């Protein structure tokens, strides 16, 4: 039997943030069947800020049963009406956007002003966008002849198992919940163990409007909770965002039962700077594309900076000046530009990459380096934006996804060669091209093997655009109408003989 929410141990509250009531199964806030819990850490202070249930197979079972019960009714709701509920959720999120933003900043270490507030607002926008798409779940008629009526229906798939990461947890969660539910599916979602609070708050808001069991949210660890979810025989669709490594595990689980799978995975995205844009706006764009103000914990980080040899040194000088002017500090403080790395494991990993760069004789440290061991920044998992200059695209720092603020600048002179280097990666998520010559920029954009190429900007995704990876960066698209139709519906053909 599940423990009740009241058995969760109260934690000292951080003003203006959400305190969890348990996890959401069948419209109720419950503890784990085992009664176990785990602490959620504030990475800026290395202190526990809340406790959440540590769920496992029995809880997955309960959540799937609740979802199954809800499906029959939910799929029969007129799509436009489902959409209206999502629109109400969007409004309710907007009304509590500051609390959501503070909660995200507290548990992820992403700075409130530069990151968390934007994520909270985007979450409302995502519900609003998909809330308007209910009527687009339409099929087609097929001209098979005068005596035949053949048409297609877009039907929901059933219970969706969703597993999300910690780097933009609420937005990435909304990107699964809103389209899946709009299309008539029900969901069991596992929040990331490092950042479950914002997701639980979003679930709490959703629960005000949704029938019980339509959305169920579990908190727990990867193998312990994510494993049984990915392998549950009643889960009919898997939607995963996270590392390529775990993405392969999810895909194997899906293969066992021939379940459709959407994967949003890692990246090692190239930024190609042509010699005509040795300018301040490009430097701002590179800082944005590298996601330095979210500690580069982003799969779209433009972490390979291909700078033309004519501007290599002067551009790096400008980049140093601007980047080192950014304020690193407590994510909840308004003045902070850059927050912290999520946890001790990632922090150690990032430091190891920096040390590797320092140890390599061919690489030159342009700025940054290992984080301070004393002073206020040593209280949390703070790292420094770091840039290494090198000639090669073939070393570890230029090939592996670091998920931290370590940028490799690589000199180029020949256009065909830089495109070859940009494509020499098993990833293919995002890319950035910088030039005043729009013809050249678009030729490069078309030649790059990535699911998303931005020319002269380094922004984030916007609802409406189809977002997803080439190569080992993933399968399927999110953020868009097409993504919703392809990922969360299945097409049925109905063929009627009109001659009888
Ligand atoms: P990150 O490196 O960003 O933490 P992961 O891919 O490790 O990304 O984690 C993303 C999500 O996948 C998290 O919710 C995590 O708990 C979950 N996860 C990790 N390992 C497994 C696994 N073996 N099976 C199912 N889910 C997993």
């Amino acid at each position: 039997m599940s423990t009740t929410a009241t058995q969760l141990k109260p934690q000292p509250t951080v003003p203006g943030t959400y305190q969890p009531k348990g996890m959401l199964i069948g419209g109720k806030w419950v503890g784990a069947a085992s009664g176990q819990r785990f602490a959620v850490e504030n990475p800026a202070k290395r202190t526990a800020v809340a406790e959440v249930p540590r769920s496992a197979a029995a809880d997955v079972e309960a959540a799937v049963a609740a979802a199954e019960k809800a499906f029959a009714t939910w799929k029969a709701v007129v799509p436009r009406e489902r959409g209206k509920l999502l629109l109400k959720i969007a409004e309710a999120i907007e009304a509590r956007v500051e609390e959501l933003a503070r909660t995200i900043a507290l548990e992820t270490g992403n700075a409130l002003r530069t990151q968390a507030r934007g994520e909270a607002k985007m979450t409302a926008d995502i519900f609003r966008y998909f809330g308007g798409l209910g009527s687009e779940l339409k099929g087609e008629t097929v001209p098979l002849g005068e005596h035949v009526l053949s048409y297609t229906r877009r039907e929901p798939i059933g219970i969706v198992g969703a597993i999300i990461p910690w780097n933009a947890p609420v937005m990435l969660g909304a990107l699964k919940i809103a389209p899946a539910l709009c299309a008539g599916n029900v969901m069991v979602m596992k929040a990331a163990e490092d950042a479950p609070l914002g997701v639980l708050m979003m679930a709490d808001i959703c629960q005000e409007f949704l029938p019980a069991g339509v959305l169920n949210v579990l908190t727990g660890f990867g193998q312990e909770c994510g494993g049984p979810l990915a392998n549950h025989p009643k889960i009919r669709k898997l939607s995963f965002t996270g590392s390529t490594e775990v993405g392969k595990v999810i895909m194997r689980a899906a293969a066992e039962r021939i379940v459709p799978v959407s994967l949003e995975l890692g990246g090692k995205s190239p930024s190609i700077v042509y010699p005509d844009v040795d300018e301040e706006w490009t430097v701002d764009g590179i800082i944005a594309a590298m996601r330095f103000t979210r500690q580069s914990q982003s799969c779209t980080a433009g972490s390979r900076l291909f700078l033309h040899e004519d501007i290599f040194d002067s551009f790096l000088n400008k980049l140093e000046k601007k980047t080192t002017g950014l304020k690193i500090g407590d994510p909840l403080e308004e003045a902070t530009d850059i927050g912290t790395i999520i946890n001790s494991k990632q922090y150690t990993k990032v430091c190891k990459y920096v040390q590797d760069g320092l140890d390599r004789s061919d690489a030159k440290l342009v700025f940054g380096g290992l984080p301070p061991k004393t002073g206020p920044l040593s209280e949390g998992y703070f790292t420094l934006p770091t840039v290494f200059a090198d000639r090669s695209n073939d070393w570890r720092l230029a090939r592996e996804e670091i998920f931290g603020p370590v940028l490799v600048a690589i000199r180029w002179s020949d256009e065909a060669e830089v495109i070859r280097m940009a494509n020499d990666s098993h990833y293919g998520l995002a890319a950035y091209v910088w030039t005043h010559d729009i013809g050249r920029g678009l030729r490069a954009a078309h030649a790059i093997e990535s699911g998303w190429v931005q020319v002269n900007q380094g922004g984030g995704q916007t609802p409406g655009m189809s977002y997803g990876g080439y190569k080992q960066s993933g399968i399927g698209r999110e953020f868009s109408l097409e993504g919703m139709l392809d990922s969360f519906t299945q097409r049925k053909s109905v063929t009627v003989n009109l001659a009888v």
Side-chain angles (χ1 to χ4, degrees):
M1 215 183 75
S2 293
T3 50
T4 63
T6 49
Q7 286 170 274
L8 290 175
K9 214 161 67 195
Q11 296 288 320
T13 52
V14 175
T17 62
Y18 178 78
Q19 274 298 304
K21 310 169 187 174
M23 51 187 189
L24 183 63
I25 298 181
K28 294 202 169 62
W29 295 100
V30 298
S34 66
Q36 290 193 43
R37 301 178 288 260
F38 65 97
V40 182
E41 190 184 21
N42 169 2
K45 305 222 185 287
R46 307 189 196 202
T47 51
V49 289
E51 277 194 333
V52 291
R54 178 171 174 170
S55 63
D59 308 289
V60 170
E61 205 57 60
V64 169
E68 189 178 26
K69 209 166 145 203
F71 182 52
T73 319
W74 182 246
K75 72 174 178 188
V77 174
V78 175
R80 205 174 52 248
E81 297 301 320
R82 291 196 297 256
K84 274 189 199 165
L85 298 180
L86 298 181
L87 293 172
K88 285 184 186 167
I89 291 170
E91 293 298 310
I93 290 175
E94 217 144 61
R96 290 174 68 184
V97 93
E98 199 56 23
E99 182 188 353
L100 185 56
R102 286 181 66 79
T103 305
I104 295 170
L106 177 69
E107 64 179 340
T108 63
N110 288 338
L112 182 63
R113 177 175 53 81
T114 60
Q115 299 303 319
R117 199 170 279 133
E119 181 180 343
K121 286 181 183 162
M122 176 58 85
T123 301
D125 282 348
I126 289 166
F127 277 96
R128 187 168 292 119
Y129 171 73
F130 285 106
L133 292 184
S135 299
E136 295 301 323
L137 291 154
K138 56 198 177 198
E140 295 130 1
T141 54
V142 189
L144 295 187
E146 282 307 300
H147 304 295
V148 181
L149 169 63
S150 184
Y151 64 96
T152 60
R153 285 162 55 83
R154 291 273 187 184
E155 297 189 350
I157 302 174
I159 309 174
V160 177
I163 298 177
I164 54 170
W166 43 262
N167 61 328
V170 180
M171 182 185 92
L172 296 175
L175 275 178
K176 302 198 186 302
I177 297 169
L181 269 49
C182 179
N185 303 279
V186 291
M187 179 171 282
V188 178
M189 170 171 280
K190 187 193 92 61
E193 51 270 47
D194 288 295
L197 303 180
V199 175
L200 289 172
M201 177 173 166
M202 170 169 60
D204 201 347
I205 294 173
C206 289
Q207 196 45 44
E208 287 175 39
F209 302 97
L210 297 174
V214 168
L215 172 67
N216 305 276
V217 175
L218 302 175
T219 50
F221 294 92
Q223 288 188 0
E224 215 169 64
C225 171
L229 181 58
N231 288 290
H232 198 288
K234 288 192 173 162
I235 297 285
R236 300 288 296 278
K237 155 89 196 182
L238 286 168
S239 182
F240 172 80
T241 302
S243 62
T244 295
E245 193 190 350
V246 177
K248 289 178 186 176
V249 174
I250 302 297
M251 199 164 177
R252 276 186 214 111
E256 276 305 310
R257 339 192 278 288
I258 317 292
V259 160
V261 58
S262 306
L263 304 171
E264 296 291 346
L265 307 175
K268 189 72 188 178
S269 300
S271 233
I272 301 179
V273 184
Y274 282 81
D276 61 334
V277 285
D278 184 18
E279 295 166 6
E280 294 294 323
W281 67 269
T282 319
V283 174
D284 289 336
I286 292 297
I287 291 170
M290 180 52 188
R291 317 285 188 237
F292 269 138
T293 57
R294 60 180 311 142
Q295 305 75 257
S296 308
Q297 296 178 124
S298 163
C299 28
T300 53
S303 53
R304 290 184 294 149
L305 176 60
F306 293 101
L307 286 173
H308 192 272
E309 61 181 3
D310 291 353
I311 59 163
F312 194 82
D313 293 323
S314 71
F315 194 92
L316 287 180
N317 277 338
K318 291 192 190 76
L319 185 63
E320 175 171 4
K321 227 171 256 160
K322 284 225 159 162
T323 310
T324 51
L326 295 170
K327 185 174 178 340
I328 307 172
D330 186 339
L332 285 167
E333 270 177 26
E334 204 61 35
T336 296
D337 295 303
I338 298 178
T340 67
I341 294 289
I342 186 80
N343 59 26
S344 157
K345 188 175 141 212
Q346 289 295 122
Y347 175 81
T348 308
K349 189 174 143 193
V350 172
C351 292
K352 266 180 120 173
Y353 276 111
V354 174
Q355 189 61 54
D356 260 29
L358 294 170
D359 291 344
R360 182 178 152 97
S361 53
D362 284 354
K364 177 178 159 266
L365 177 70
V366 183
F367 59 87
L370 288 167
K373 290 215 165 66
T374 53
L377 292 189
S378 66
E379 282 168 27
Y381 305 116
F382 293 98
T383 51
L384 306 176
T386 297
V387 177
F388 288 102
D390 203 296
R391 285 188 176 273
S392 166
N393 181 49
D394 282 335
W395 60 305
R396 198 167 156 242
L397 268 66
R399 301 202 72 81
E400 296 176 14
E401 186 179 40
I402 297 174
F403 231 61
V406 185
L407 175 66
V408 177
I410 299 161
R411 201 182 284 264
W412 68 274
S413 55
D414 175 68
E415 189 172 6
E417 173 62 3
V418 75
I419 300 281
R420 189 199 63 74
M421 285 195 286
N423 287 339
D424 182 17
S425 168
H426 61 277
Y427 292 118
L429 191 53
Y432 308 85
V433 179
W434 309 85
T435 175
H436 286 295
D437 181 339
I438 198 67
R440 184 161 68 176
L442 293 183
R443 281 195 301 276
H446 296 177
I448 291 171
E449 296 165 354
S450 287
W452 182 25
V453 185
Q454 296 190 67
V455 180
N456 293 337
Q457 62 166 36
Q461 305 90 327
T462 316
M465 62 171 281
S466 265
Y467 166 71
Y470 279 20
K471 301 194 263 188
Q472 289 191 29
S473 286
I475 294 179
R477 296 293 177 263
E478 288 191 319
F479 264 105
S480 62
L481 169 62
E482 310 84 80
M484 174 177 82
L485 296 177
D486 292 346
S487 294
F488 295 115
T489 70
Q490 49 192 348
R491 225 186 254 255
K492 178 185 280 176
S493 287
V494 181
T495 310
V496 186
N497 179 358
L498 300 179
V500 289

